[in-house]
Amino acid sequence: MSELEIIEAALFAAGRAVSLEKLMKITGKPKKNVSSAVQELMEAYSSRRSGIEILDLGDRYVMQVKPEYSELMREVAPKELSAPKLRTLSMIAYHQPLLQSDLIEMRGSGAYDHIKDLIERGFVESVPCGRSRQLSTTPLFADYFGLKKNDPKAIKEKIIELLRAQGGQSEINLWVGKKTIAVTPMYESLMKMCGIKDYFVANAYCPSKEEISRLLEADVLVVTAGYLDTVKQHCDGEILEVRSTTFEDLLEAVSLISEELSDEVDPEVVENTLKKIRETRERYVASALLIEKKVKPATEMVSKIVNDLNIRISADGILIAPDYGTSTEGVSIGKGAKILVPTHRNVEGDLLERVCKKYDSILEGLKNYED
């Protein structure tokens, strides 16, 4: 075997950049011979009609697919980093050395899985630092992205250069700090209630091909509680589950969004929203004080509303049920009900309006019985 063949085999098998010292050790040849052989090999690949090239990264060499063929190789190449993981990696590279606790604060708890995967792939190293861990990129990171050395300053400058070329300051914000937020259609109004302007809407429960592509780029997805297993297969980012049956649910939802997306919300809008929800609830509770009839909730959803209104419950009370008729298990829910509460699928308006219409249906129905 010639040293040329050994070097070619080593570069092919490595799948990453190989140092000159490593090639010297493998071939058993001095630096001058190995350098000469690598140059000869690079010229050979450059002159032939090949989809492969060998790059000199400064005493490190990598064999890779030529850029013009990379898109064609997407189906057979190893799985690429998803957009959220790539953004997490970009933030580590940009801010390194970066405390894991600071990264989680910026990216959300979903970044824990990103960090684990990036460490397993060899792009990031993690070392203890007080009560947290310190994250930084590895030489493999530099190899993967075609950088000559794993120098934090050079990496930061390269990231800024690439992002500025792609989209200016807005693109820089996106990749080194700003989160991409996705919401299901029902929770679009929740974004407005929190003063969040940058988000996109997608049906995460049964997404189209286009929506799946966008959801994979989302850092945060807001969905109805109870659908985690359904939506997590389409989203690699953090999933926030919220409820919207009662006024208390809305208060908790707004508070959760404010806490998890603190850099995206408008504090003044949030404060006004919370105040409005509380005042609205107080009016409904005050109105329910005049109700003397007892009720029998058919479901937990109805029970939550009735309890919030402080209406008395009895086994022989007026039966109140949601208007969907049959549960997912095929059980008839509304049979014999005197009052039907509209569910989200049958009511329009923002989240606060939808909750109000549920409470209205109960109060108005009971007042009719009182009359």
Side-chain angles (χ1 to χ4, degrees), residues 22-53:
K22 188 71 172 179
L23 293 176
M24 291 167 56
K25 182 177 179 180
I26 293 173
T27 60
K29 301 293 182 179
K31 181 177 180 178
K32 181 178 179 180
N33 293 49
V34 173
S35 296
S36 178
V38 172
Q39 291 301 319
E40 183 181 345
L41 197 58
M42 290 174 62
E43 292 172 5
Y45 271 87
S46 178
S47 62
R48 72 175 73 156
R49 294 175 62 85
S50 172
I52 304 298
E53 64 181 355

Side-chain angles (χ1 to χ4, degrees), residues 149-220:
K149 56 182 179 178
N150 188 46
D151 174 61
K153 183 179 180 181
I155 290 173
K156 184 173 183 177
E157 291 174 350
K158 186 65 176 180
I159 289 175
I160 293 176
E161 175 190 334
L162 292 173
L163 296 178
R164 184 169 286 126
Q166 291 179 31
Q169 188 61 44
S170 62
E171 193 72 14
I172 294 175
N173 290 340
L174 173 66
W175 286 90
V176 301
K178 200 171 181 64
K179 295 178 179 178
T180 298
I181 304 169
V183 297
T184 53
M186 190 171 75
Y187 292 111
E188 181 173 7
S189 63
L190 180 59
M191 297 296 99
K192 296 176 181 177
M193 292 164 72
C194 295
I196 297 176
K197 298 179 179 179
D198 296 325
Y199 61 88
F200 69 87
V201 181
N203 176 11
Y205 313 114
C206 187
S208 63
K209 289 185 178 179
E210 181 180 349
E211 286 176 322
I212 289 176
S213 178
R214 295 202 69 190
L215 285 169
L216 288 172
E217 296 180 354
D219 298 307
V220 179

Side-chain angles (χ1 to χ4, degrees), residues 28 101 132 135 178 191 198 253 257 284-285 297-298 315 319 328 331 367:
S101 55
S132 184
L135 306 173
K178 200 171 181 64
M191 297 296 99
D198 296 325
I257 296 300
Y284 275 88
V285 173
L319 182 61
T328 54
V331 178
K367 285 178 182 178

Side-chain angles (χ1 to χ4, degrees), residues 271-286:
E271 183 178 350
N272 291 335
T273 295
L274 293 174
K275 180 181 178 182
K276 182 178 181 180
I277 295 173
R278 292 190 183 103
E279 290 177 346
T280 303
R281 178 185 178 277
E282 289 174 1
R283 289 198 302 271
Y284 275 88
V285 173

Side-chain angles (χ1 to χ4, degrees), residues 258-292:
S258 301
E259 180 180 344
E260 295 294 329
L261 303 174
S262 57
D263 292 336
E264 317 296 332
V265 303
D266 184 326
E268 184 176 351
V269 173
V270 169
E271 183 178 350
N272 291 335
T273 295
L274 293 174
K275 180 181 178 182
K276 182 178 181 180
I277 295 173
R278 292 190 183 103
E279 290 177 346
T280 303
R281 178 185 178 277
E282 289 174 1
R283 289 198 302 271
Y284 275 88
V285 173
S287 179
L289 292 174
L290 303 175
I291 301 295
E292 295 183 359

